[in-house]
Amino acid sequence: MKNISLYIHIPFCKQKCMYCDFPSYSGKDALMEEYINALCKEIAREASKYSYNTVFIGGGTPSYLDEDNLEKLLNEINKLSLNRNLEFTMECNPGSLTKEKLDIMKRYGVNRLSLGLQSTKNSILKEIGRIHSFEEFKSNYSLAREMGFNNINVDTMFGLPNQSVEDFKNTLGEITELNPEHISAYSLIIEEGTVFYKLWEEDKLKLPSEDEEREMYEYCVDYLNKKGYLQYEISNFSKKDKECRHNKVYWELEKYLGCGSSSASLIDGKRIKNTEDIKEYIEAINSNKSAKVEIINLKEEDLIEEFMFLGLRKKEGIDESIFKRKFNKELDSIYEKVINFHINQGLLVREKGKIYLSKKGIELSNYVMKDFILDK
Ligand code: SF4
């Protein structure tokens, strides 16, 4: 059986955060049980064809599932062929996590938690629509530690409305005091269809300036580095050997299977997407039909571009020998001119068979990456 990765999508949230454009919904709890039953069927039907190195339950808010449904789902996943050194992550949000749920996760082999915090300042949490306070986060975090979870990621955001540089520095300080194994720091992007988009259009969002946002990011990289967190991707930092292996699968275009509404798979050069509609998903699975709504046969050029974009986001960059193995050609046969141009501008570095963004290149990453788009 092929060793790949598995993503499971849980589309429920207690409340929609104001910046969120993920396929997640509040007020649909009545569908939870039917959804999990359908999801278990899809897992039994589709996921039993492979064995797994990593499993990631994301969403939405997987920890929002009630105990019975959580146990049912984890039990189904445990029937699969899971490798001995499995990385098994579950996304959790404070305000939806209990000792009982953590106990179920522990019993069924979840060995990595990804906790959504975003900021340690309660007024900011409220303004961005989070359902929890920093105190609730800390109590969930301590509980998880007491119960033996020794691989925890904490999600943060910067560039938030009414967030000062000082606020973000405090957030990083308070998080690193807790000593998680992994920290991710994403800048706020105002996405269409979100509450923030509407407020932004009406000029009602007080966002930090570009300079302040740059200062936040630069501080973040330096500060976390000093605290022993290695930056291994533009937005991800970890203690030694605690990088998220599941994320690396996405960034290196390795195979993964997605189950659940809105989930995507990358299998045999095809990108496959399930329907976002929860009811449609349940109906399709229950009538033994496919929930897939999109199957794209990726052309080699698409895969090469994506490999470059995702690879350049990684601190270690692109491994030229992996490129050659994957695409059966030298990187230079396609990108020699572009690479040399950006090396001369001081934005790219090429050494020991790898190509990566310099410090300045990370700041101007969008400018560099657009040159890796191929004429098709
Ligand atoms: S908890 Fe996560 S998935 Fe749910 S609305 Fe907030 S950001 Fe989106």
Side-chain angles (χ1 to χ4, degrees):
M1 253 192 291
K2 277 187 201 162
N3 278 324
I4 64 165
S5 286
L6 178 64
Y7 173 75
I8 308 276
H9 190 72
I10 305 299
F12 307 102
C13 285
K14 187 170 177 187
Q15 176 180 297
K16 194 80 185 164
C17 301
M18 303 211 192
Y19 54 86
C20 177
D21 75 331
F22 296 147
S24 65
Y25 309 90
S26 61
K28 298 211 175 185
D29 302 5
L31 293 171
M32 200 180 273
E33 183 160 7
E34 272 186 275
Y35 179 79
I36 293 298
N37 290 339
L39 180 57
C40 288
K41 274 189 205 163
E42 192 192 19
I43 293 170
R45 202 169 76 188
E46 302 290 335
S48 53
K49 298 170 190 161
Y50 304 96
S51 59
Y52 298 95
N53 291 324
T54 70
V55 176
F56 193 104
I57 308 180
T61 306
S63 56
Y64 187 52
L65 291 178
D66 59 51
E67 287 154 29
D68 287 347
N69 280 310
L70 176 63
E71 183 153 11
K72 209 189 298 170
L73 171 64
L74 293 179
N75 185 41
E76 194 62 47
I77 295 171
N78 270 254
K79 291 180 196 161
L80 300 170
S81 163
L82 304 172
N83 291 342
R84 252 204 331 200
N85 69 342
L86 177 80
E87 177 191 88
F88 191 171
T89 307
M90 183 155 145
E91 283 186 332
C92 303
N93 276 320
S96 65
L97 203 52
T98 60
K99 187 170 190 301
E100 289 69 28
K101 290 183 193 179
L102 283 166
D103 186 53
I104 295 169
M105 291 177 212
K106 193 90 205 155
R107 275 196 280 123
Y108 284 91
V110 173
N111 55 22
R112 184 173 183 273
L113 300 181
S114 181
L115 301 179
L117 169 62
Q118 318 315 347
S119 171
T120 58
K121 193 172 179 183
N122 286 335
S123 60
I124 291 184
L125 291 175
K126 211 165 168 198
E127 276 178 84
I128 64 175
R130 302 290 297 179
I131 56 165
H132 56 85
S133 64
F134 179 43
E135 290 68 33
E136 275 175 287
F137 168 85
K138 275 198 288 191
S139 106
N140 280 175
Y141 183 91
S142 315
L143 190 58
R145 283 299 201 209
E146 275 162 32
M147 294 176 71
F149 286 94
N150 58 9
N151 195 1
I152 300 184
N153 166 55
V154 178
D155 277 339
T156 65
M157 290 176 86
F158 61 96
L160 296 168
N162 298 316
Q163 185 184 40
S164 65
V165 176
E166 218 42 48
D167 288 338
F168 186 55
K169 287 183 178 177
N170 289 340
T171 289
L172 293 175
E174 285 172 310
I175 292 172
T176 48
E177 251 170 56
L178 295 170
N179 207 20
E181 284 65 33
H182 190 290
I183 297 172
S184 64
Y186 285 92
S187 68
L188 173 72
I189 296 174
I190 307 288
E191 302 280 6
E192 239 181 297
T194 61
V195 176
F196 273 178
Y197 189 82
K198 203 164 168 278
L199 292 172
W200 175 74
E201 276 189 318
E202 292 164 4
D203 208 15
K204 286 184 185 155
L205 272 192
K206 195 173 160 284
L207 295 170
S209 67
E210 264 180 41
D211 283 349
E212 285 172 320
E213 204 176 308
R214 192 171 316 116
E215 197 184 332
M216 289 180 193
Y217 182 68
E218 281 172 6
Y219 177 84
C220 176
V221 174
D222 285 351
Y223 179 78
L224 291 183
N225 193 24
K226 277 186 206 129
K227 291 282 176 182
Y229 293 89
L230 307 171
Q231 184 183 25
Y232 68 105
E233 196 255 3
I234 287 185
S235 309
N236 285 278
F237 305 82
S238 79
K239 293 273 180 72
K240 193 167 175 291
D241 298 329
K242 295 291 180 183
E243 296 97 345
C244 174
R245 281 163 44 207
H246 189 84
N247 274 346
K248 285 183 133 185
V249 166
Y250 295 148
W251 301 333
E252 284 167 13
L253 291 186
E254 297 295 338
K255 289 191 176 73
Y256 57 88
L257 176 74
C259 288
S261 63
S262 321
S263 67
S265 309
L266 180 67
I267 304 267
D268 302 330
K270 291 190 185 70
R271 170 113 42 227
I272 302 162
K273 232 193 128 200
N274 275 353
T275 175
E276 284 196 7
D277 187 299
I278 302 177
K279 275 193 179 158
E280 209 174 281
Y281 171 80
I282 295 170
E283 276 163 26
I285 299 294
N286 285 345
S287 48
N288 264 328
K289 289 190 191 131
S290 163
K292 301 176 179 88
V293 285
E294 203 177 274
I295 301 178
I296 303 173
N297 276 309
L298 293 168
K299 291 196 218 91
E300 189 177 61
E301 290 95 325
D302 300 326
L303 287 166
I304 289 177
E305 268 177 13
E306 211 169 321
F307 185 79
M308 297 307 289
F309 295 156
L310 295 169
L312 285 175
R313 284 186 61 91
K314 288 185 297 170
K315 194 75 196 294
E316 63 174 25
I318 285 148
D319 187 320
E320 298 191 46
S321 62
I322 295 180
F323 184 95
K324 191 170 177 193
R325 178 166 49 78
K326 262 191 163 7
F327 302 109
N328 210 15
K329 56 181 74 147
E330 300 289 342
L331 189 57
D332 272 340
S333 68
I334 307 175
Y335 287 121
E336 186 178 16
K337 252 170 97 179
V338 176
I339 291 169
N340 287 338
F341 174 75
H342 288 296
I343 288 175
N344 289 335
Q345 294 217 325
L347 302 175
L348 276 183
V349 179
R350 183 176 216 164
E351 60 179 13
K352 295 183 189 151
K354 299 216 170 147
I355 292 183
Y356 56 90
L357 290 168
S358 65
K359 201 168 175 225
K360 196 169 146 213
I362 292 178
E363 278 168 32
L364 299 173
S365 59
N366 289 342
Y367 165 73
V368 180
M369 286 186 196
K370 74 167 181 15
D371 284 345
F372 284 87
I373 298 172
L374 295 168
D375 288 332
K376 285 177 247 173

